[in-house]
């Protein structure tokens, strides 16, 4: 999944199934990787701030991380491996 202007495609780690992140979670993850804040993600995707927070919680849980920085690191590592 890619957002307009995004050069990073969020890929899953080899031991994760394609169903681990929903399409919307993929979009939120891409915004996160672009350095967007929660309010920017909400505005970009047309969803509430509360919904952004919930998606981030699920993304962190599914990636096995506790914060934004680690989530982006895992996504970038996975994207590099996929190349």
């Amino acid at each position: 999944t890619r957002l307009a202007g995004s050069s990073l495609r969020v890929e899953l780690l080899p031991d994760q199934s394609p169903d681990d992140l929903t399409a919307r979670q993929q979009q939120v993850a891409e915004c996160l990787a672009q350095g967007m804040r929660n309010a920017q993600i909400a505005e970009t995707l047309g969803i509430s701030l509360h919904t952004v927070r919930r998606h981030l919680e699920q993304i962190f849980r599914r990636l096995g991380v506790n914060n934004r920085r680690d989530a982006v690191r895992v996504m970038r590592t996975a994207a590099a491996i996929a190349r």
Side-chain angles (χ1 to χ4, degrees), residues 5-6 12 20 23-24 27 29 35 38 41-42 55 64 67 71 73 82:
S6 172
L12 300 172
D20 280 351
R24 183 58 105 183
Q27 292 173 331
N38 290 2
I41 295 170
H55 282 311
N67 59 58
R73 180 185 49 78

Side-chain angles (χ1 to χ4, degrees), residues 27-40:
Q27 292 173 331
V28 171
E30 288 182 18
C31 290
L32 181 67
Q34 292 176 29
M36 290 186 191
R37 294 176 184 223
N38 290 2
Q40 293 171 305

Side-chain angles (χ1 to χ4, degrees), residues 9-83:
R9 177 173 171 77
V10 177
E11 300 289 345
L12 300 172
L13 294 175
D15 63 330
Q16 293 175 308
S17 77
D19 297 327
D20 280 351
L21 293 180
T22 66
R24 183 58 105 183
Q25 288 169 348
Q26 287 269 339
Q27 292 173 331
V28 171
E30 288 182 18
C31 290
L32 181 67
Q34 292 176 29
M36 290 186 191
R37 294 176 184 223
N38 290 2
Q40 293 171 305
I41 295 170
E43 184 176 330
T44 298
L45 299 179
I47 58 179
S48 74
L49 199 52
H50 174 79
T51 301
V52 170
R53 289 185 192 119
R54 290 289 175 233
H55 282 311
L56 289 174
E57 288 172 7
Q58 291 300 311
I59 290 166
F60 294 170
R61 184 179 63 78
R62 290 177 181 188
L63 294 178
V65 300
N66 295 314
N67 59 58
R68 300 166 85 88
R69 184 190 71 231
D70 289 344
V72 171
R73 180 185 49 78
V74 167
M75 291 183 294
R76 288 193 173 143
T77 300
I81 291 170
R83 290 182 207 180

